Amino acid sequence: MSSTTPTTQSWQGRTVLVTGAEGFIGSTLVDLLVERGAHVRVLVHYKPYAERGHLARYLGPGSPVETLAGDVRDAGRVMDAVTGCDTVFHLAALIGIPYSYASPEAYVQTNVAGTENVAAACRRHGVRRMVHTSTSEVYGTARTVPIREDHPLQPQSPYSASKIGADMLALSYAHSFELPVTVVRPFNTYGPRQSARAVIPTILAQLHSGAQEIRLGSTTPTRDFTYVTDTAEGFLALAECDRAIGHAVNLGTGREITIGDLAQSLIRASGRPARVVTDETRLRPAGSEVERLLSDNSRARDWAGWVPRVELEEGLARTSDWVRDNLRLFAADRYQV
């Protein structure tokens, strides 16, 4: 078999760890793994209160999901979680860009040190594959488009700087210790379960709350939006792709849209007329705004056979319906960083 040919393996009966499994992408990935018959172990952030979250349906006797409470900053707990695993999907991270301006050290501890803990545990236990989650934010404002994986990395926020550090650390384990790790770089993922810190649910929560004015930051940047199930399928495909070991791989659609045009699309999808106004509290600091993101997804297509399947208009309609039906989860009148 050619090294560029994606492998096809069954997940049936394989033990898989997902860090950050309670999150938007993580919980969707857990769903796909359970559907495919994997024994899923999840490392979730310890909480002393009875929050059930996106994994609620898996909490109980006979569940195919084994839940471990912990923190990726705790090397010992991570070492325990990785024990006996075939594959580790590392999604745990601090992700909000605005909060990274206020607390950059927390991003270094969770995103960089936490990734080192996961990589060290994967090395120690000899896992078949570690899949590390990056972000398109590491590229900063595009110098050339579409953005290939060899595009310069530009730390335009403490968040993106921490993710660049985490990516490089994960890849260093491939070069130094032959750890079979792949760095997955999703472009802007959206869909059901996403929190209001992201632009699409922010807009939809305002619309479905009856707002006549949609308050946004800059509306001129462009983004490449990928529906969440497509992103999760990309994780699974790359976990089985030997060609991707030691490399970063983009997951994006290759289609860009301005935030302003996105807002108009969401107004149409929701059926709730409104006008867009600029809220200065939502603007990023000068020099930090990423003006353009547009992916080249050739590696994912050619190496792993991954193809995004949900068109933007369909995905926005699905997401609008979900936000409408779960509006209680959103504080539409407050800017969530």
Side-chain angles (χ1 to χ4, degrees):
M1 181 176 65
S2 168
S3 63
T4 60
T5 302
T7 59
T8 301
Q9 299 181 20
S10 170
W11 292 96
Q12 187 71 39
R14 292 159 67 183
T15 299
V16 177
L17 173 68
V18 182
T19 74
E22 288 180 300
F24 159 52
I25 299 175
S27 63
T28 304
L29 178 60
V30 168
D31 288 346
L32 294 184
L33 286 163
V34 168
E35 288 172 9
R36 287 160 171 77
H39 171 73
V40 184
R41 182 181 299 160
V42 297
L43 182 65
V44 300
H45 198 275
Y46 170 74
K47 297 186 255 340
Y49 43 87
E51 160 154 352
R52 298 169 69 83
H54 298 316
L55 299 179
R57 62 196 171 285
Y58 298 122
L59 300 179
S63 172
V65 175
E66 175 189 359
T67 303
L68 298 179
D71 192 312
V72 292
R73 295 173 297 178
D74 184 337
R77 189 58 165 162
V78 171
M79 194 68 69
D80 291 342
V82 174
T83 302
C85 288
D86 169 89
T87 306
V88 173
F89 293 98
H90 176 42
L91 289 85
L94 281 176
I95 57 176
I97 294 170
Y99 184 58
S100 77
Y101 304 135
S103 187
E105 183 178 356
Y107 284 72
V108 174
Q109 293 300 319
T110 298
N111 297 352
V112 182
T115 295
E116 200 279 329
N117 288 338
V118 174
C122 288
R123 180 193 178 201
R124 171 74 176 273
H125 290 295
V127 302
R128 181 192 66 86
R129 188 67 50 84
M130 172 182 167
V131 178
H132 166 70
T133 310
S134 180
T135 169
S136 58
E137 286 283 330
V138 301
Y139 295 123
T141 297
R143 296 186 185 182
T144 59
V145 291
I147 297 173
R148 294 161 33 114
E149 289 84 355
D150 58 4
H151 185 283
L153 304 181
Q154 303 179 96
Q156 289 182 218
S157 67
Y159 165 67
S160 64
S162 73
K163 294 300 286 184
I164 291 170
D167 293 359
M168 296 303 103
L169 196 146
L171 291 173
S172 80
Y173 267 69
H175 300 312
S176 301
F177 308 119
E178 297 185 346
L179 180 69
V181 60
T182 296
V183 173
V184 178
R185 285 208 180 115
F187 278 61
N188 292 74
T189 301
Y190 73 100
R193 304 180 187 170
Q194 190 170 29
S195 73
R197 58 150 200 91
V199 66
I200 288 176
T202 288
I203 294 171
L204 287 171
Q206 293 179 70
L207 287 168
H208 286 298
S209 295
Q212 299 299 303
E213 295 184 340
I214 304 306
R215 307 182 71 81
L216 296 175
S218 179
T219 58
T220 57
T222 70
R223 294 292 185 265
D224 182 336
F225 289 99
T226 308
Y227 194 68
V228 63
T229 52
D230 282 335
T231 296
E233 290 284 5
F235 275 76
L236 296 182
L238 288 166
E240 300 178 355
C241 176
D242 291 343
R243 180 70 181 86
I245 293 174
H247 295 282
V249 181
N250 291 337
L251 293 179
T253 66
R255 172 185 175 183
E256 65 184 328
I257 184 172
T258 68
I259 300 303
D261 287 344
L262 174 71
Q264 295 305 318
S265 295
L266 290 168
I267 289 169
R268 289 192 293 273
S270 68
R272 293 178 174 271
R275 69 186 188 92
V276 175
V277 298
T278 299
D279 180 347
E280 293 189 0
T281 65
R282 300 174 188 241
L283 295 172
R284 294 191 191 183
S288 188
E289 180 64 80
V290 174
E291 295 293 342
R292 190 177 189 191
L293 289 173
L294 174 64
S295 74
D296 181 327
N297 60 18
S298 299
R299 282 188 181 179
R301 287 175 179 266
D302 297 343
W303 293 1
W306 175 79
V307 179
R309 302 191 182 281
V310 180
E311 292 292 337
L312 182 63
E313 291 74 17
E314 179 184 352
L316 295 180
R318 293 183 192 177
T319 308
S320 177
D321 290 346
W322 185 86
V323 171
R324 180 199 62 212
D325 294 342
N326 293 274
L327 198 58
R328 68 190 184 283
L329 302 177
F330 299 91
D333 59 343
R334 185 170 67 247
Y335 177 37
Q336 182 170 329
V337 300

